[in-house]
Amino acid sequence: MPPTARQWRRLRKDAEVARRLVGNLLAEVSAPPTDRLDASLSRTLKRLKAAFGLAGDLVVRPFRLGGPGERKAAVIYLDGMVDARVVHEDILNSLQKAGAEPGFVQTGVERPSGGLSQSGPLALPSPLAAGQVTSTSKLSKTVDAVLGGKVALLLDGHPRAWFIDAKGFKTRNPEAPTTEQDILGSKEGFVEDLRANTSMIRRRIKDRNLQLVEMTVGRKSRTRVTVIYLADVANPALVTAVLSRLHAIDAETVASANALAAYVKDHNWSPFPVAELTERPDVVAMEVLDGRVGILVENDPFAVLVPATFWDFFQAADDYNQGALGATLGRLVRFLAFFLSTFLPGLYTAFVMIHLDLVPFDLALSVAGSRQGVPFPAPLEYFFLIIMFEVMREVSIRIPKTMGATIGVVGGIVLGQAVVQAGVVSAPLIVVVALVALALFTTPHYQMTVMARMLSLISLAVGSALGVYGILLAAMAVIVHLASLTSFDVPYLAPAAPASRGFAVDTLTRAPLWSLRRRPYQYQPTDVRKRDDYRTPMPYPDLEEARS
């Protein structure tokens, strides 16, 4: 039975609806993607949910601004990244009462009912307007802001998103630095929260010229980075170089400060560190005042200081919290310990294997007697002991702290005594390894400690093969290599090479603080003078006039 006219009209209507639906779908698929938000709240939420994909922690809370009958709105955030109490009590409650309460910051045209105009921009309640509120009309920036821990506010009829800072994820409280301990200095260290770290610098440098430039690096990680410098002290060429290298980073993720330093520092092939890492805010503040640039990385308790010279890695925070003589003695001990940890293994093997005739007779007789029955040559003995020491060091780092003392007793005393009694190694070599291990821990910065361990193995190889002459050649090669390094175009051995008249003022030694009137010239600061001579002599009173 053929369809009736009414049925034909219904079929044609259904076909027309289907044709329009297919056309709209094809238009959405074939249309070029746009980064702008839509004025329709439903379409904007749909695009945002598609952008986040299968994000189980994504929270979308629709509501009405000003209560029933007012404009539709929604907030979107990630659960666990924001403070839920702030979102519900401070943001949602304030916005839901926006049409009934006075005291609003209005940028558009206000309606008689106290709500918002259809065409004007958003009027925020005064509690929100007093906080950190930003806005954008781009979808990508909205997604990045939500991923960064902000609450996005969307309003129907306005193709914009407003971001409210309500971060509430758990962070670690500031504690004493674990890698750079001191006695007289500050006991506050950086944490993984970037804003808490910048506040530590702000508390130490209350100057309007302190600049904090924020940017994002890493295509996937979107890690926030803050560059810190003094605008009236730091060299503009240095600041430009740091910012340009950070902008040029093209990596999926930048997970730590050390990884960031690998992208911006000079001479990545060199084993010597040319960018300094520190977890002390007082050190960063002091170095920024001298004209250096600090870089803070989100989710990392370490800061990067550039440029860095060879002498910077032997300076501790305690050097500026005690007298000049004590600080100078400490620095000289560190340089001597670095020399011992680097060249003592090579010198020992060189004198035992090649230059035994240069050793005093009694000492040579004692060493030869201790080596009787040892089946291995001195280089293999040292290599065996250093491997054992490195294993114990790794174990002490990885195991729980409550077991660290036990591992130290078992490894350092029981195992060391056992290998000597078993005749595997000689007793003098135990003393050499112990001295090298103790000397390594005197270096304030772990980066230079790693370099000293590598150089000790090199000196062991050349000392056992070529004797003292090989060690001298290796030392000359290291000095030539150091002289060829730069850190942001600053010579690595400056101010020793190129030579400066005030080289020893604050490198090998530390002069009294009142005499340090100029900033280090190797950083090329724009303002060289730190302070004037304020030490005027106190007049001696006349005793006769005082009695009268």
Side-chain angles (χ1 to χ4, degrees), residues 434-480:
L435 285 176
V436 170
L438 292 176
L440 285 173
F441 292 115
T442 61
T443 306
H445 293 271
Y446 178 75
Q447 299 165 277
M448 193 58 70
T449 301
V450 176
M451 188 64 244
R453 285 152 54 192
M454 296 174 58
L455 288 178
S456 65
L457 296 178
I458 296 176
S459 68
L460 176 68
V462 297
S464 59
L466 302 176
V468 177
Y469 303 104
I471 294 178
L472 292 176
L473 291 175
M476 293 175 59
V478 170
I479 294 174
V480 170

Side-chain angles (χ1 to χ4, degrees), residues 274-442:
V274 292
E276 182 181 351
L277 296 179
T278 179
E279 60 174 340
R280 300 188 61 93
D282 54 344
V283 172
V284 174
M286 181 179 60
E287 297 299 337
V288 168
L289 289 172
D290 280 342
R292 300 174 72 181
V293 176
I295 307 174
L296 296 176
V297 183
E298 186 181 22
N299 301 322
D300 194 284
F302 284 86
V304 183
L305 287 172
V306 292
T309 63
F310 177 77
W311 318 104
D312 294 330
F313 295 94
F314 296 92
Q315 298 179 3
D318 259 352
D319 292 348
Y320 300 93
N321 298 321
Q322 56 181 329
L325 293 178
T328 300
L329 178 61
R331 288 188 180 179
L332 293 178
V333 168
R334 293 185 207 115
F335 283 111
L336 177 62
F338 180 78
F339 176 82
L340 289 177
S341 62
T342 303
F343 296 107
L344 183 59
L347 290 173
Y348 175 80
T349 55
F351 284 114
V352 168
M353 298 182 62
I354 300 177
H355 305 290
L356 190 60
D357 53 335
L358 300 179
V359 180
F361 179 75
D362 295 337
L363 180 59
L365 189 63
S366 176
V367 172
S370 64
R371 290 188 51 80
Q372 287 183 354
V374 177
F376 305 109
L380 288 181
E381 287 183 77
Y382 180 83
F383 188 74
F384 171 75
L385 286 178
I386 205 65
I387 290 296
M388 186 175 66
F389 171 75
E390 291 293 333
V391 169
M392 288 190 297
R393 189 183 64 84
E394 288 292 328
V395 170
S396 63
I397 294 175
R398 312 303 171 195
I399 65 173
K401 293 183 178 180
T402 55
M403 302 174 60
T406 304
I407 294 298
V409 171
V410 172
I413 300 178
V414 177
L415 190 58
Q417 184 69 20
V419 294
V420 173
Q421 292 181 354
V424 179
V425 297
S426 58
L429 195 59
I430 292 285
V431 177
V432 172
V433 173
L435 285 176
V436 170
L438 292 176
L440 285 173
F441 292 115
T442 61

Side-chain angles (χ1 to χ4, degrees), residues 79-103:
D79 190 17
M81 296 289 288
V82 301
D83 191 344
R85 185 195 60 81
V86 174
V87 173
H88 291 87
E89 297 181 6
D90 298 340
I91 298 177
L92 289 177
N93 288 344
S94 300
L95 292 175
Q96 286 176 349
K97 299 176 183 178
E101 294 184 357

Side-chain angles (χ1 to χ4, degrees), residues 34-48:
T34 177
D35 194 32
R36 291 197 170 275
L37 296 174
D38 200 295
S40 173
L41 178 62
S42 60
R43 287 196 293 266
T44 300
L45 291 178
K46 182 179 179 181
R47 294 177 59 193
L48 285 173

